[in-house]
Amino acid sequence: MKLKELESHLQEVEGFEEPKILLEQYPTRPHIAACMIHTIASSFDDIENRSILDLGCGCGMLSIGCVMLGAGSVVGVDIDPDALDTCQQNLEDFEMDNVDLINASVEEAGLLFRNKFDVVVMNPPFGTKHNKGLDMKFLETALKLASRSVYSLHKTSTRDHVLKKAQSWGAKPQVVAELRYDLPATYKHHTKASVDINVDFIRFAVS
Amino acid sequence: MKLLTHNMLTSKAIKQVNTGYPLLIEARDVKVSEVEFNPEFIAKIIPKVDWDCLRRAAEQLGHLDKIPASVPDTYENQQEFLKQAHHVLLEIELINGDLVCPESNRKFPVTDGIPN
């Protein structure tokens, strides 16, 4: 599937009905999700027939992208049951039947599985709303659960810290691209119409 | 929740649980659906599947008849076996019920296919 086609499909994915500010819920923008998944599939062959974990799947944007490009199986984990409801609705709308969802926190996720997945994909909370360090927790857990690679988004401003920490955990990180993430006003306290944040799309090789 | 996923789950997140595997299934609603058969993927994951756990889980869901007793040596080339494995791993789903930790007996509800 071409990138443009993937992106237009992903635009149909429903976002959060009532995003929870404390969980820092934003749907991954279809354009970014499409670029991510397409690159993972074509440059790294890490989608087709792979077992994939979407950590913090939210409404399922990345999971759906993975299925569209031929993932073998996808498991989505999220702490918020309402998000999972939306995700499930999306999966039904897209008629996708090889995604399983689990309601758990990122700490629980680390201990939940007896085997590793081939690949972990995620767009973790950046740790802005009283959640400092949460994105690193996601990364640490993801690295434990992947046998091949982890793909994630992190604020460019934290790049050095992220790369260093990842290496200390035994991974080989590679910044694949620097993206501009436009977050439209989601919560009442957002005064601007949208804000641009620079994010790094990073591949962490585990094996 | 598919049996492929159940095969991977442990209850080690509970304190003082050593292995937490396999989780017992108390099923209330089970659904059988049709999932596209991908022999390459099935052949890849067979080595990761705990076959005894899978059989017990299938039994607890009332579908023991569909699953072969063990994995044949040349499974990669046996379409029939791969098809049966595909059916058990991906097409039988637990919709409502509980997963029970074998050590602590703590129950994890499964609602609408999603375990908590």
Side-chain angles (χ1 to χ4, degrees):
Chain A
M1 190 185 295
K2 294 228 176 89
L3 175 58
K4 274 221 156 47
E5 206 183 324
L6 179 61
E7 184 177 337
S8 73
H9 282 305
L10 291 182
Q11 274 161 0
E12 305 295 311
V13 176
E14 289 277 338
F16 298 100
E17 253 179 57
E18 281 176 27
K20 300 193 174 108
I21 186 172
L22 285 178
L23 295 178
E24 231 191 276
Q25 290 179 336
Y26 300 101
T28 307
R29 302 291 277 163
H31 175 67
I32 298 210
C35 284
M36 269 178 87
I37 306 291
H38 198 266
T39 305
I40 298 173
S42 50
S43 302
F44 299 105
D45 190 23
D46 266 342
I47 298 284
E48 199 173 341
N49 286 336
R50 303 283 180 207
S51 64
I52 302 183
L53 173 67
D54 182 354
L55 196 58
C57 60
C59 47
M61 185 72 71
L62 293 177
S63 294
I64 291 176
C66 287
V67 175
M68 285 189 164
L69 293 194
S73 73
V74 179
V75 173
V77 173
D78 202 279
I79 195 174
D80 178 18
D82 294 326
L84 290 173
D85 272 344
T86 306
C87 187
Q88 193 142 51
Q89 191 57 55
N90 277 321
L91 293 172
E92 271 170 44
D93 291 343
F94 278 83
E95 290 180 349
M96 288 184 171
D97 45 21
N98 54 347
V99 181
D100 253 354
L101 301 176
I102 300 180
N103 180 202
S105 70
V106 70
E107 291 94 354
E108 290 169 336
L111 297 165
L112 203 51
F113 303 103
R114 102 187 136 79
N115 272 337
K116 296 189 190 201
F117 294 84
D118 289 330
V119 176
V120 178
V121 299
M122 59 188 192
N123 178 8
F126 289 152
T128 50
K129 297 273 163 290
H130 313 286
N131 277 333
K132 254 195 139 88
L134 190 52
D135 59 340
M136 296 313 286
K137 242 231 186 88
F138 266 74
L139 181 57
E140 194 179 1
T141 302
L143 290 172
K144 285 199 213 142
L145 294 174
S147 63
R148 283 175 63 93
S149 51
V150 172
Y151 295 88
S152 178
L153 295 176
H154 294 271
K155 290 204 285 194
T156 304
S157 56
T158 61
R159 181 185 297 184
D160 286 338
H161 175 65
V162 173
L163 296 185
K164 220 195 249 166
K165 260 271 133 102
Q167 279 161 340
S168 77
W169 288 327
K172 294 194 253 314
Q174 170 194 358
V175 179
V176 177
E178 192 178 319
L179 308 165
R180 183 150 289 150
Y181 200 105
D182 66 316
L183 292 174
T186 316
Y187 300 114
K188 284 210 200 78
H189 72 270
H190 288 173
T191 47
K192 302 197 193 134
S194 81
V195 181
D196 282 352
I197 301 184
N198 286 350
V199 290
D200 290 338
F201 170 33
I202 309 181
R203 174 181 204 261
F204 301 88
V206 169
S207 55
Chain B
M1 183 197 61
K2 299 175 197 293
L3 289 185
L4 172 61
T5 305
H6 167 263
N7 203 269
M8 306 237 307
L9 293 178
T10 79
S11 50
K12 265 173 133 178
I14 306 179
K15 288 198 177 55
Q16 296 173 338
V17 167
N18 284 323
T19 320
Y21 180 83
L23 298 177
L24 305 156
I25 306 180
E26 285 173 11
R28 278 192 294 280
D29 299 305
V30 179
K31 184 176 83 161
V32 179
S33 46
E34 249 187 71
V35 176
E36 208 180 310
F37 176 48
N38 183 343
E40 241 185 87
F41 175 65
I42 300 291
K44 261 188 177 191
I45 52 166
I46 294 285
K48 288 199 201 172
V49 173
D50 178 332
W51 204 256
D52 282 333
C53 162
L54 184 64
R55 277 185 66 88
R56 230 170 309 142
E59 187 176 16
Q60 287 163 358
L61 290 188
H63 282 263
L64 185 57
D65 52 321
K66 309 276 175 37
I67 177 174
S70 59
V71 182
D73 283 329
T74 54
Y75 63 84
E76 305 100 354
N77 297 322
Q78 298 190 23
Q79 280 288 89
E80 207 28 63
F81 170 76
L82 291 179
K83 264 221 189 101
Q84 286 177 315
H86 163 83
H87 178 71
V88 181
L89 288 167
L90 298 176
E91 291 185 333
I92 305 178
E93 295 188 61
L94 176 63
I95 302 296
N96 289 308
D98 289 291
L99 301 175
V100 186
C101 167
E103 287 171 46
S104 67
N105 278 326
R106 173 135 153 225
K107 291 196 185 188
F108 302 100
V110 177
T111 323
D112 221 5
I114 304 180
N116 186 332

